[in-house]
Every structure is written in structure tokens, then in C-alpha cells.
Amino acid sequence: MAIDMAVNGEARRSACDPLTPLINVLRDEFHLTGAKPVCREGFCGACTVLVDGAPTASCLTPVALVEGCDVVTIEGVSAGGRLNEVQAKLEQHDAVQCGMCFPGMVLTLTHFLERMPRPSREDVRAALTGNICRCTGYERIVEAALAVAGAHAEIRP
Ligand code: FES
Ligand code: FES
């Protein structure tokens, strides 16, 4: 059985068993290794991708469920090799350590800041509850997210 989807704007077809976790298809079949299989139990957020715009744990998502969907991975957010604004602020704030959590962190924050462009510190922390970082203590990540929001506020009257 073939399963069709768009991945980062390109039509892709998987020939995997329909119950194969999406992360396996992305990494092993499509060679998109940005999403990280850390816990494989839906707790850590390192495998997060966007499915039809919604942050989704690709470790728990059978590939059959994304038939006909738009999937965006971390490889899809930096068009032409340019960091998106969340990635750029994370880098500027020196927020990245080992980096294992960051593909999921970036996709979660990108989605969150599109929907809540001017969040409070508490809003950012709440948005990150599904993304576990074992290295950083979160403070610089939160500062980076608030800096993205600050840039939005400067642009928008
Ligand atoms: S690897 Fe999917 S949530 Fe941890
Ligand atoms: S930077 Fe290492 S887990 Fe977050």
C-alpha cells in the first residue's frame, strides 16, 4: 500500500507498512533526519513535526494517518538555507547546547508564535511543556522566543 503526502512542500510516497511510525519514514525512507527519536513514547517532543500545521509527535503517528497531509520537518523551515526567525533568535541568545531537542523546539515555537505573536513569559513556558530539554534550563530558549515576539511588536503598530 502506498501512502502519499507532501513533505516540506514536495509530493512524497511511502511504501512502508501503514503502521510504521512517521519518524521512521521521514528518517529511513526520505532521509530527513532532523526529527529526533529520543523517547519514542510521546513525552519529549524531540520528534515533533507539523502535520497540517499542528505540532505532532512523529514517533507516535502511524504513517497511514498522514495520507494526504502536509508534513513540515525542521528541514522545511529554513528556506534556502536561511534560519527562520525562531532559529535565528535561538542562535543569537546562545540557547542551543547539544541540540537534540531543538528540531522539535523550533517547530513548536514557530507554530506557537504564529498563533500568539505577543505572548507572556508564562505563555512561552506553557507552550514548551511538551518539549523537554536536558541541557539548557530553558531560560535562554524563553528569552529567544520573547525576542521573536518583541521583533513582531516592533514591526506591527
Ligand atoms: S521521541 Fe517522540 S515524543 Fe520523544
Ligand atoms: S540542548 Fe540538549 S536537550 Fe536541549
Side-chain angles (χ1 to χ4, degrees):
M1 174 183 169
I3 296 155
D4 293 307
M5 68 200 86
V7 180
N8 301 332
E10 281 184 32
R12 306 298 293 256
R13 172 167 288 182
S14 172
C16 279
D17 182 296
L19 294 179
T20 305
L22 175 59
I23 192 167
N24 293 33
V25 173
L26 293 171
R27 291 176 61 87
D28 302 337
E29 196 174 356
F30 300 159
H31 307 296
L32 295 167
T33 56
K36 299 291 184 266
V38 175
C39 71
R40 287 193 175 273
E41 293 184 348
F43 293 121
C44 76
C47 67
T48 300
V49 299
L50 302 180
V51 175
D52 287 345
T56 300
S58 60
C59 68
L60 294 184
T61 304
V63 66
L65 290 186
V66 303
E67 163 78 29
C69 294
D70 281 317
V71 178
V72 175
T73 70
I74 191 67
E75 290 89 347
V77 302
S78 40
R82 285 187 50 214
L83 301 181
N84 83 355
E85 57 181 350
V86 172
Q87 291 171 307
K89 291 293 186 211
L90 287 166
E91 185 181 49
Q92 284 169 19
H93 284 75
D94 216 6
V96 186
Q97 291 191 22
C98 82
M100 283 297 277
C101 67
F102 269 81
M105 199 72 83
V106 167
L107 288 166
T108 295
L109 284 174
T110 299
H111 170 267
F112 166 69
L113 289 165
E114 280 171 8
R115 277 151 190 79
M116 188 179 282
R118 297 180 190 179
S120 67
R121 180 174 296 271
E122 291 67 36
D123 292 330
V124 175
R125 286 196 166 273
L128 291 176
T129 52
N131 292 82
I132 294 173
C133 177
R134 292 165 180 80
C135 304
T136 65
Y138 295 92
E139 198 51 36
R140 292 183 184 194
I141 298 170
V142 173
E143 291 297 334
L146 292 172
V148 174
H152 287 170
E154 284 168 23
I155 294 163
R156 292 178 192 136

